[in-house]
Amino acid sequence: MPGDLAPRDAQDLMAYPFFSLAKSKRLTPIDFKAGTIVIRVEAVAEHGLATIWDADVLIWAASQIVEARDLGLKPSRLMAATPYEILSFIGRGVSARDYDRLKAALDRLQSTTVATSIRQPNERRMHRFSWINEWKEKADPHGRPLGLELIVPDWFYAAVLDDALVLTIDRAYFRLTGGLERWLYRLVRKHGGRQQHGWSFDVAYLHTKSGSLSPLKHFTYDLRDIVRRQTLPGYRLTLEQPPDAPERLAFAPVDAAALAPLGKREPSRAGDKL
């Protein structure tokens, strides 16, 4: 779909640890369990785990699918585009080096395998897939490039077609350079939404939820730096130390009409452990 589409993200991808937050190659699997939710993400040695920057391709795909559906067209898991169209949408350059990086991202998305109980009717059942089933470069009979094709998995496609499972995100997200701040924005957007009183998480649980390999001490240091810089578009973050309770990260919309004093936040909900 042409035009300046609103970026859309799948809420399941925003709420759980599916991607590496490091720019260096990660081979260590992601293992996460919370209640009935189970996630295991594995890499191959050649490519490593798909990263949170690679996930920009999935945001592009979700945006395309939703736009096509809303215009009354029939969307498909098979998608065709030029590298220029994808790179422009996600705010990247369009040099030969950027094209090569896009291809590397597609390789990681295709080779990373996911097993999860999310949206499975029986908690013992697991859905297994790769972020991209397959992808290929196209060319005409004279070898001139015609763009690329990719097929997204049914698990992702079904989530994107469900209005309740998709959120619009701020385009400024693509300008966030740190893996942790990118992950944190998606989590904040998912849980904070436009709720008047915001939301909060235990810092230690955030560390677990991120899937980061960084020790908790380093994770907390990086979190404090993000709070100090206030880089997440649309939200204000604070670190709170309740008496006789673990440190918490609190966040709320910056819109004056929607933002209540952080000191008057509603009690923590059961949802902050999901």
Side-chain angles (χ1 to χ4, degrees), residues 121-159:
N122 186 313
E123 65 181 78
R124 294 186 178 182
R125 293 179 58 188
M126 300 286 280
H127 195 136
R128 291 171 171 81
F129 58 91
S130 295
W131 293 117
I132 292 177
N133 285 9
E134 58 182 87
W135 75 277
K136 66 179 180 180
E137 297 177 89
K138 298 182 65 180
D140 67 16
H142 303 287
R144 289 188 291 266
L146 295 176
L148 54 86
E149 289 183 350
L150 58 88
I151 302 175
V152 296
D154 183 66
W155 184 90
F156 172 79
Y157 184 69

Side-chain angles (χ1 to χ4, degrees), residues 22-193:
K23 291 184 177 178
S24 57
K25 181 189 290 188
R26 172 172 172 171
L27 298 177
T28 305
I30 296 173
D31 280 299
F32 177 80
K33 182 174 175 60
T36 61
I37 300 297
V38 177
I39 297 170
R40 181 172 176 84
V41 187
E42 297 178 282
V44 298
E46 181 180 359
H47 300 296
L49 279 180
T51 72
I52 199 159
W53 294 273
D54 301 337
D56 288 358
V57 175
L58 299 178
I59 295 175
W60 166 82
S63 306
Q64 290 283 317
I65 292 168
V66 171
E67 183 73 9
R69 182 204 61 192
D70 290 351
L71 289 175
L73 303 176
K74 185 177 180 181
S76 170
R77 291 170 53 205
L78 171 62
M79 308 182 70
T82 64
Y84 177 86
E85 290 169 335
I86 298 175
L87 290 168
S88 297
F89 181 84
I90 63 178
R92 308 282 179 88
V94 291
S95 67
R97 187 180 182 186
D98 293 305
Y99 281 30
D100 288 341
R101 286 176 173 173
L102 174 60
K103 294 174 187 177
L106 293 170
D107 282 339
R108 283 188 293 271
L109 290 165
Q110 194 278 323
S111 61
T112 295
T113 58
V114 180
T116 182
S117 63
I118 295 174
R119 288 187 279 112
Q120 298 306 296
N122 186 313
E123 65 181 78
R124 294 186 178 182
R125 293 179 58 188
M126 300 286 280
H127 195 136
R128 291 171 171 81
F129 58 91
S130 295
W131 293 117
I132 292 177
N133 285 9
E134 58 182 87
W135 75 277
K136 66 179 180 180
E137 297 177 89
K138 298 182 65 180
D140 67 16
H142 303 287
R144 289 188 291 266
L146 295 176
L148 54 86
E149 289 183 350
L150 58 88
I151 302 175
V152 296
D154 183 66
W155 184 90
F156 172 79
Y157 184 69
V160 170
L161 286 180
D162 187 333
D163 278 336
L165 298 178
V166 176
L167 288 174
T168 300
I169 63 172
D170 196 309
R171 185 164 289 280
Y173 167 79
F174 296 122
R175 296 196 293 271
L176 296 177
T177 57
L180 178 59
E181 63 182 345
R182 276 175 157 250
W183 171 80
L184 192 60
Y185 170 78
R186 298 172 85 187
L187 185 79
V188 165
R189 176 70 184 92
K190 162 67 174 72
H191 289 284

